[in-house]
Amino acid sequence: MKFNERLKELRTEKGWTQKALAERMNVTDDCIFFWEKGRSEPSVQQILDLSALFEVTTDYLLGKTDY
């Protein structure tokens, strides 16, 4: 699974809209949309923040592991 797919999966499991995640990440909802569509990628710091927010490893978030 790719990062964009994993991000969308984690977000929907939480029941969050793109706007809700954007507010938590202090970015625009367009930014989340582009991440989920694979049109852009978050910075290293944003990946770390997403990992902490979803309580998963960065490897899981990036699709390197399935656990």
Side-chain angles (χ1 to χ4, degrees), residues 11-12 14-24 29 32 36:
R11 177 182 60 77
T12 55
K14 292 276 190 185
W16 296 343
T17 62
Q18 289 179 345
K19 183 176 177 92
L21 178 56
E23 289 172 358
R24 287 173 171 80
D29 49 334
I32 303 299
E36 289 186 359

Side-chain angles (χ1 to χ4, degrees), residues 6 29 31:
R6 183 73 34 96
D29 49 334
C31 184

Side-chain angles (χ1 to χ4, degrees), residues 46-65:
Q46 289 169 322
I47 290 171
L48 292 170
D49 293 344
L50 286 165
S51 175
L53 182 64
F54 289 116
E55 299 177 332
V56 296
T57 65
T58 54
D59 280 352
Y60 180 81
L61 183 62
L62 296 172
K64 301 293 182 186
T65 64

Side-chain angles (χ1 to χ4, degrees), residues 13-45:
E13 282 177 5
K14 292 276 190 185
W16 296 343
T17 62
Q18 289 179 345
K19 183 176 177 92
L21 178 56
E23 289 172 358
R24 287 173 171 80
M25 290 295 296
N26 199 30
V27 297
T28 65
D29 49 334
D30 283 341
C31 184
I32 303 299
F33 173 81
F34 288 134
W35 291 350
E36 289 186 359
K37 292 298 180 184
R39 294 183 185 170
S40 67
E41 297 177 351
S43 69
V44 171
Q45 184 58 56

